[in-house]
Amino acid sequence: MLDVNGAYVYLFFMRHTTPFFQAFGPLLFGKPPVSALAQAFAIFSKSRTLSDLRKAFGSFVPHALLQPQAAGLNSRKRIFSLEVVFWSFFDQVQTPNGSCREAVRKVMASVRRKLPADQDLPMSANTSAYCQARARLPLDTMDKINTHLVERMDNHIPEDQLWHGHRVRLVDGTGISMPDTPENQASWPQSKSQKPGCGFPLMNLVGLFCLHTGALIQAAHGNRFAHETKLFKRLWGALNKGDVLVADRGFCSYGAMAALMARGVNALMRLPEKKIRKAIGSKLPKSDSFDVLISWKRPIQRPRTMTPEEFANLPKTLFLRVVRYKIAQKGYRTQSVTLATTLLETSIPAADLAKLYLRRWGIELNFREIKIYLNMDVLRCLTPHLIERELRMHFIAYNAIRCIMQKAALTHHVELKRISFKGCLDTVRHFANASSGAEEKPRIISTMLEEMLLAIAKDLNLHRPGRSEPRVKKRRPKNYRLMTKPRHEMGPLPHRKVGIENTPKTALS
């Protein structure tokens, strides 16, 4: 429900867009403070946005994509315009535990700073208008912004950082959960083994990353019934001719290899033991290390993930290069790895293929950065409509940070892979907050941005080759009971110390 100022804002917009409200507003609320509203709109139009992060990331996001549309939902004059909502949402994603209330408070504080002390704030503190504005963010606009960020980083990759002249892409899958609402459960249902009311909706997501920049090129998601191989097929359009795709054995199949070769994409994948034994095991040497060329015949039975037309169009034979090598590194679980690749050039040594596949582990770090540091592990929106926008905003925020990291690496001549993602995130956030109020002093902002890039370039991770990092937790979780019923059915639980209060002191001594 709007307060008086909020009602004034609402009626002001309605009077200027709908003829039926021209006389209805003054009858109920009197003449609105047009001077205050005009001054508030001047603040928004002059500074374009109220997010301090725009000073650091504004040059990477096309300004034209955030302008009001000629017609449709984002064509009206609003305080929460397309640009304001985008940067507020962007700020919300990068802020630890950022809420809609906090985003609205930042907008209110920015407007308040521009208004005279004796003038009332011409907007409501309610978060409803902001949440409705987030739901109006066009998905195609967000996709275009993310594509622009990826292409910008791709165009700034130095030639000497390419792998044998090829751009390398990494692919892997992960899982995401979200609030337990009926709408989310309908789109992304939880496991059937989970009791109703005790679990959360689950989403399967497959991401395509760039090895050289760490950028998230594209992602495909579905419910828990959508297999990663099906989601992987949606990403083939984001691969260009000449790219090298590195994937683990979960994505290795005859159909995937053939489809990538038809697109001119090279593949380097680990062969599953099952495929080694059944398909090409008899053609491989018995030694622990080898580098051979083989022919892989098309399987007799059609996979369930392929249509009859797709299976019929597969070539009858694939010529691959198979490399097997042993791992002698202490602490590594795997002792022997068998790789299959469509790179048949003898100019590429087998040792380089093994080193490239070892770098595939970097995608796990990329997922950790976007899920843990940007809080995408557990999404917070309550409807699928907003979940789609929240997911894309996490992609944009992640790639924008990667753009800053690449700029710092190129400016100060340091290795991009050694720059700390978390350190860059913290540095950008605090420098943006420190530059608040300096909109009319571009020289100060330029100096602060240069110092920010220098601080990012100096914050380097230690070089620890071959370090063993087992997936274990040292800190124990709290000793709480697990939920076995919905919360409203469980009722109050007895405390662990129940009965001690009524026990005689002599019995406790």
Side-chain angles (χ1 to χ4, degrees):
M1 188 173 181
L2 292 174
D3 58 8
V4 176
N5 289 330
Y8 279 144
V9 174
Y10 174 74
L11 290 175
F12 176 82
F13 285 126
M14 296 304 295
R15 289 177 61 198
H16 284 73
T17 56
T18 309
F20 303 104
F21 285 86
Q22 290 182 357
F24 183 65
L27 290 176
L28 289 179
F29 301 97
K31 187 178 180 180
V34 180
S35 59
L37 289 174
Q39 191 167 357
F41 292 135
I43 294 172
F44 277 83
S45 60
K46 187 179 295 184
S47 62
R48 298 183 185 177
T49 177
L50 299 177
S51 173
D52 295 329
L53 290 175
R54 189 185 184 279
K55 301 181 184 69
F57 297 105
S59 60
F60 301 119
V61 177
H63 179 64
L65 294 177
L66 300 177
Q67 293 305 298
Q69 300 177 355
L73 293 176
N74 295 293
S75 59
R76 289 174 50 190
K77 257 190 172 182
R78 308 173 188 265
I79 285 185
F80 289 110
S81 63
L82 183 62
E83 187 174 15
V84 172
V85 172
F86 174 84
W87 287 108
S88 297
F89 201 0
F90 186 94
D91 192 3
Q92 184 182 357
V93 167
Q94 296 201 37
T95 303
N97 301 320
S99 61
C100 294
R101 179 173 57 186
E102 184 177 2
V104 174
R105 296 301 185 272
K106 287 185 178 181
V107 175
M108 294 177 65
S110 300
V111 177
R112 176 72 272 173
R113 190 170 60 245
K114 300 289 185 178
L115 294 176
D118 58 345
Q119 187 170 324
D120 295 334
L121 191 66
M123 63 177 296
S124 172
N126 198 304
T127 61
S128 176
Y130 172 68
C131 293
Q132 294 177 39
R134 287 198 311 172
R136 292 192 299 267
L137 283 173
L139 293 179
D140 58 341
T141 299
M142 302 181 76
D143 290 335
K144 290 178 182 178
I145 293 175
N146 189 66
T147 302
H148 175 80
L149 294 173
V150 172
E151 291 178 350
R152 180 188 179 94
M153 285 185 280
D154 215 40
N155 294 333
H156 286 82
I157 300 176
E159 292 293 332
D160 58 346
Q161 293 185 8
L162 299 179
W163 186 82
H164 289 275
H166 298 279
R167 283 177 166 81
V168 181
R169 312 303 190 188
L170 309 176
V171 66
D172 204 358
T174 187
I176 301 174
S177 66
M178 61 203 71
D180 187 14
T181 62
E183 295 85 355
N184 290 341
Q185 286 281 8
S187 298
W188 301 286
Q190 65 185 23
S191 174
K192 292 182 179 180
S193 60
Q194 183 69 54
K195 294 184 179 180
C198 301
F200 296 94
L202 301 176
M203 175 190 294
N204 285 346
L205 185 141
V206 174
L208 183 67
F209 289 82
C210 176
L211 174 68
H212 314 286
T213 64
L216 176 58
I217 301 173
Q218 194 172 328
H221 64 85
N223 57 32
R224 67 182 187 87
F225 301 106
H227 197 271
E228 290 184 351
T229 55
K230 291 184 178 180
L231 301 177
F232 174 46
K233 292 176 64 176
R234 302 184 197 173
L235 305 178
W236 291 351
L239 297 170
N240 299 320
K241 186 176 181 180
D243 290 347
V244 176
L245 179 70
V246 182
D248 62 7
R249 51 191 168 189
F251 299 93
C252 182
S253 66
Y254 188 94
M257 286 279 192
L260 293 174
M261 288 183 65
R263 294 173 175 267
V265 178
N266 300 299
L268 175 64
M269 302 182 181
R270 184 179 177 185
L271 273 175
E273 295 297 330
K274 184 178 180 180
K275 288 186 173 63
I276 293 176
R277 291 193 303 267
K278 289 187 176 181
I280 55 180
S282 58
K283 305 176 184 179
L284 298 179
K286 301 300 182 180
S287 59
D288 295 333
S289 300
F290 55 79
D291 181 6
V292 297
L293 298 177
I294 66 161
S295 60
W296 188 1
K297 293 185 178 180
R298 185 178 65 182
I300 300 176
Q301 187 176 3
R302 176 178 64 87
R304 291 181 296 178
T305 57
M306 300 184 65
T307 63
E309 293 77 14
E310 293 175 341
F311 184 73
N313 293 330
L314 291 179
K316 295 183 179 180
T317 304
L318 289 180
F319 294 96
L320 303 176
R321 180 182 179 184
V322 179
V323 176
R324 177 179 291 175
Y325 59 94
K326 294 189 66 176
I327 299 179
Q329 182 69 33
K330 184 179 180 181
Y332 278 44
R333 178 182 60 184
T334 304
Q335 302 299 324
S336 178
V337 175
T338 305
L339 302 177
T341 179
T342 56
L343 293 165
L344 307 181
E345 298 90 340
T346 56
S347 59
I348 301 178
D352 289 2
L353 296 174
K355 292 178 181 178
L356 178 60
Y357 185 77
L358 183 62
R359 295 178 65 185
R360 192 203 67 84
W361 175 253
I363 195 172
E364 304 290 348
L365 304 180
N366 295 337
F367 272 129
R368 183 189 66 178
E369 292 165 354
I370 191 173
K371 291 178 62 177
I372 304 303
Y373 298 148
L374 292 182
N375 301 313
M376 199 188 73
D377 191 24
V378 179
L379 301 176
R380 289 177 288 183
C381 290
L382 304 180
T383 61
H385 186 72
L386 285 172
I387 286 289
E388 295 285 350
R389 283 150 179 81
E390 184 181 5
L391 197 65
R392 283 169 170 79
M393 186 54 70
H394 278 92
F395 299 160
I396 293 173
Y398 171 80
N399 285 328
I401 298 170
R402 281 286 173 180
C403 283
I404 293 286
M405 294 170 61
Q406 186 188 48
K407 187 174 182 179
L410 295 176
T411 303
H412 297 282
H413 308 287
V414 297
E415 290 185 86
L416 175 58
K417 63 181 180 180
R418 292 194 57 193
I419 294 181
S420 170
F421 181 90
K422 184 62 166 59
C424 178
L425 176 61
D426 295 339
T427 304
V428 171
R429 187 164 55 240
H430 291 298
F431 266 80
N433 293 337
S435 64
S436 179
E439 291 85 356
E440 300 178 358
K441 300 177 181 178
R443 182 176 297 179
I444 295 179
I445 294 179
S446 177
T447 302
M448 293 189 67
L449 291 179
E450 292 177 0
E451 294 177 352
M452 181 188 71
L453 294 177
L454 179 59
I456 293 173
K458 288 184 176 180
D459 190 8
L460 301 179
N461 293 320
L462 297 177
H463 184 58
R464 296 168 174 170
R467 185 187 184 195
S468 177
E469 298 182 3
R471 293 183 177 182
V472 295
K473 288 184 178 181
K474 181 178 180 180
R475 192 175 298 278
R476 270 58 174 173
K478 298 295 183 180
N479 188 21
Y480 291 123
R481 300 185 183 184
L482 298 178
M483 181 180 285
T484 58
K485 297 179 182 178
R487 194 174 298 276
H488 66 278
E489 295 181 5
M490 294 194 70
L493 295 177
H495 197 269
R496 291 193 298 268
K497 296 183 179 180
V498 65
I500 296 182
E501 298 177 357
N502 299 327
T503 303
K505 294 183 178 181
T506 55
L508 298 176
S509 59

